[in-house]
Amino acid sequence: MNAPVVETRTRPWRDPLAVANGLRHLDGPLALISDGGALGRWSFVSAEPDRVHVGPVRADMDPIGSQAFRAGVIGLIAYDAGARAATGPRAAIWPDLMLARYPAMLAFDHRDRTVSVIGRGENPAAARAAAASAEVWLAAARDPEPPAAPAERFEAEAAPGAYVDAVADVVDRIAAGELFQANIARAWSGALVPGADPFDVMLRLSGRAAAYGAFWRLGDVAIVSNSPELFLTFDPGCRRIETRPIKGTRRRDSDPARDAALAGELEISAKDRAENLMIVDLMRNDLARVAEPGSVTVDRLFEIESHPTVHHLVSTVSARARQGVGPAGLLAAAFPPGSITGAPKHQAMKVIAGHEPPRGPWCGTLFHIEDDGRMTASVLIRTASFRRTGDSWRFRALAGAGIVADSEPEAELAETDAKILALREALTGS
């Protein structure tokens, strides 16, 4: 099958969130909203996909790598789809795979302050028609007004003591030599008030934008993500793969001196550095499966990244993909992300399954494949999932912490509270 014809036009800057607000009522609305920083130069907004798959990953289907799904594809792989190899059958609380191809798209360049209007089609006429649709969306932008808190309650699915006990059990398992690290999560859930919509949560997070912010609704399911974590990028021109695992967290403080002290404490913490290094080694191993021999490199180690509610310890690992390896092969080699499973990965997923119900999309990945084959895939942390029943939307959100030999259960509990803060405030206002 031939690659699609692509038509691109450049237009003056508009706020991507305002454009997304203008098309939120359409079918399959999508907003990949970055913070405009070093990792978030581009935002993307679209709607009305022409091909959609929501369901299992079928053995006879390779939509990620096929020509038909190459350009303009957005995909989501749920955590449980990758974990079942270690855990065996588990209840399906979310589709394993969501894919949609978008003929029309708007790409917002935060650096140059321009908007690319993109139309894709099987022939020039179809590409022009798709671009015309995107022009209409750009013209229909509506500056959003901050909505009221869309949920009244944000209820923990288990008592805090249950999490403390789970952490203590994992520490014991590590001491017994069963594994080195496991990421153990807590979950909260609730319902939106009548008339509220998941996009309202996206709007309320706008002042805390992360590099990989996202809103996506397909049918009766939706996600809102404010993730700072890159899972994978792939540049087919130079065949560069990059991953940036996060391990190590401190809460922010309103006092600048105390805030700086917390960041400095994280930077020199032996416990957090060891936790981060374990996952760096795991990701090096994952990338080596699809990389040219000798090309896997640790580019940066133990860098501090500061976000509105937390400081993180981040490292960067890169490699050069072998010839013939594309997005599908990269995802298959490294999924689920090591930063949210543990080490060894297979055993960590077994331990996680013993303490948690299925995770759904949380800690899965959301990926975007562009016209030239470039892929960006985020780790779905700081993410709430939504499911509509009738006129009501229910939500679920999780936060986890990496448990290692010297983890203190109460401290790990506090870390999950810090990580969920932005989502909790976006949902309830408190």
Side-chain angles (χ1 to χ4, degrees), residues 329-417:
L330 297 176
L331 291 167
F335 189 80
S339 63
I340 49 73
T341 50
K345 184 188 282 189
H346 195 85
Q347 183 60 26
M349 289 189 288
K350 286 185 178 180
V351 172
I352 290 167
H355 286 290
E356 298 180 29
R359 288 178 168 181
W362 184 77
C363 281
T365 185
L366 181 70
F367 62 89
H368 174 205
I369 302 175
E370 300 180 54
D371 295 291
D372 59 0
R374 293 171 185 263
M375 180 185 72
T376 301
S378 65
V379 181
L380 286 175
I381 57 173
R382 315 295 192 273
T383 297
S385 59
F386 300 82
R387 187 178 291 274
R388 179 168 51 194
T389 303
D391 295 329
S392 176
W393 287 95
R394 289 199 59 81
F395 68 84
R396 189 170 191 252
L398 297 89
I403 313 306
V404 292
D406 54 351
S407 286
E408 298 178 1
E410 293 289 348
E412 304 294 357
L413 178 72
E415 182 173 316
T416 63
D417 285 330

Side-chain angles (χ1 to χ4, degrees), residues 21-35:
N21 190 44
L23 55 80
R24 58 188 289 184
H25 63 286
L26 298 179
D27 181 51
L30 168 77
L32 305 180
I33 306 294
S34 76
D35 59 3

Side-chain angles (χ1 to χ4, degrees), residues 165-245:
D165 291 345
V167 172
D169 176 70
V170 174
V171 170
D172 289 344
R173 289 170 180 260
I174 293 170
E178 187 175 330
L179 72 166
F180 300 110
Q181 180 180 165
N183 187 288
I184 302 298
R186 303 168 63 197
W188 295 260
S189 57
L192 301 188
V193 300
D197 179 88
F199 192 77
D200 295 334
V201 182
M202 185 72 177
L203 292 178
R204 289 176 58 83
L205 284 168
S206 62
R208 295 176 167 178
Y212 306 105
F215 166 80
W216 194 23
R217 188 184 77 234
L218 283 181
D220 291 329
V221 295
I223 65 157
V224 172
S225 182
N226 201 39
S227 175
E229 185 167 4
L230 173 68
F231 176 31
L232 293 169
T233 58
F234 173 59
D235 182 342
C238 60
R239 309 205 58 74
R240 177 181 168 85
I241 317 165
E242 183 174 296
T243 182
R244 302 183 78 253

